[in-house]
Amino acid sequence: NAGVIQTPRHKVTGKGQEATLWCEPISGHSAVFWYRQTIVQGLEFLTYFRNQAPIDDSGMPKERFSAQMPNQSHSTLKIQSTQPQDSAVYLCASSRDWASSYEQYFGPGTRLTVL
Amino acid sequence: GMPVEQNPPALSLYEGADSGLRCNFSTTMKSVQWFQQNHRGRLITLFYLAQGTKENGRLKSTFNSKERYSTLHIKDAQLEDSGTYFCAGSRNMGYKLTFGTGTSLLVDP
């Protein structure tokens, strides 16, 4: 079991460019979560999917950010027209969503730097 | 106030010492996870609790949903315990996590 896989591990973009981050959840896990971590804001929730359906995107900035889960094996987070304040580590997590445990397993993160 | 208040923000221990971290929740949580974030930034789950107490080696965690707090106790601290520790609560099973602000732990020889 490779765990949650995130690619790329590091991404550097210029201001105004688009960035797409990828997440492959653990096989068999039905829920996928996106978080981001910055020094100032700490770890904050962005959005999540259950059985590929979007459930809660209350943490997503209303403009420029979008997330999709086209199939059970991957999810993407897209940031259009990136800004320096989007620089952060973006973390993906998945969980089995069984009655016995809803533990979330985290990937290594994608460090996004917007110049 | 903050939905998850974590204390202390920083902690310095000598090898062999015992200490504890605490998270207070402003609202009722159904479960809590404790993480250690290593030097590469990876979040490693230490505990997942829906209630009660769990132990794993030198670590012990307690979660009291009704009293709205959770604790992480480290016994016989080792150098490799250094890092940042986060608690995170979930208001419903399978729901998003709300994280504490972290405790930066440094263990000195």
Side-chain angles (χ1 to χ4, degrees), chain A residues 16-19 36 60-67 77-86 90 114:
Chain A
Q17 293 184 327
E18 182 177 288
R36 70 177 171 184
M60 293 275 272
K62 294 307 173 194
E63 296 177 358
R64 304 185 296 106
F65 281 64
S66 63
L77 180 68
K78 186 182 288 186
I79 309 171
Q80 294 178 309
S81 185
T82 54
Q83 303 296 310
Q85 62 265 29
D86 299 332
Y90 289 82
V114 182

Side-chain angles (χ1 to χ4, degrees), chain A residues 35 37 50 58 102 104, chain B residues 33 37 48 94-97:
Chain A
Y35 299 87
Q37 185 175 23
R50 181 176 291 129
S58 59
Y102 293 88
Q104 293 184 26
Chain B
Q33 274 183 253
Q37 189 164 42
Y48 169 86
Y95 197 57
K96 62 188 177 187
L97 291 174

Side-chain angles (χ1 to χ4, degrees), chain A residues 16-85:
Chain A
Q17 293 184 327
E18 182 177 288
T20 299
L21 313 181
W22 294 71
C23 171
E24 182 179 327
I26 294 171
S27 178
H29 282 196
S30 57
V32 171
F33 300 79
W34 285 95
Y35 299 87
R36 70 177 171 184
Q37 185 175 23
T38 61
I39 299 292
V40 174
Q41 298 293 333
L43 279 150
E44 52 181 356
F45 166 78
L46 294 175
T47 186
Y48 88 98
F49 299 84
R50 181 176 291 129
N51 296 320
Q52 299 171 235
I55 302 298
D56 181 351
D57 66 354
S58 59
M60 293 275 272
K62 294 307 173 194
E63 296 177 358
R64 304 185 296 106
F65 281 64
S66 63
Q68 294 186 335
M69 191 160 184
N71 57 59
Q72 63 185 9
S73 64
H74 89 271
S75 175
T76 57
L77 180 68
K78 186 182 288 186
I79 309 171
Q80 294 178 309
S81 185
T82 54
Q83 303 296 310
Q85 62 265 29

Side-chain angles (χ1 to χ4, degrees), chain A residues 29 95-105, chain B residues 30-33 48-51 54 93-94:
Chain A
H29 282 196
S95 70
R96 197 178 277 120
D97 262 15
W98 280 19
S100 60
S101 175
Y102 293 88
E103 178 180 346
Q104 293 184 26
Y105 296 78
Chain B
K30 292 292 180 69
S31 67
V32 67
Q33 274 183 253
Y48 169 86
L49 297 106
Q51 62 179 4
K54 286 187 178 179
M93 294 304 189

Side-chain angles (χ1 to χ4, degrees), chain B residues 6 8-12 21 81-85 101-107:
Chain B
Q6 185 173 345
L11 185 58
S12 187
L21 287 59
D81 295 333
S82 294
T84 305
Y85 291 77
T101 47
T103 296
S104 177
L105 172 64
L106 178 63
V107 181

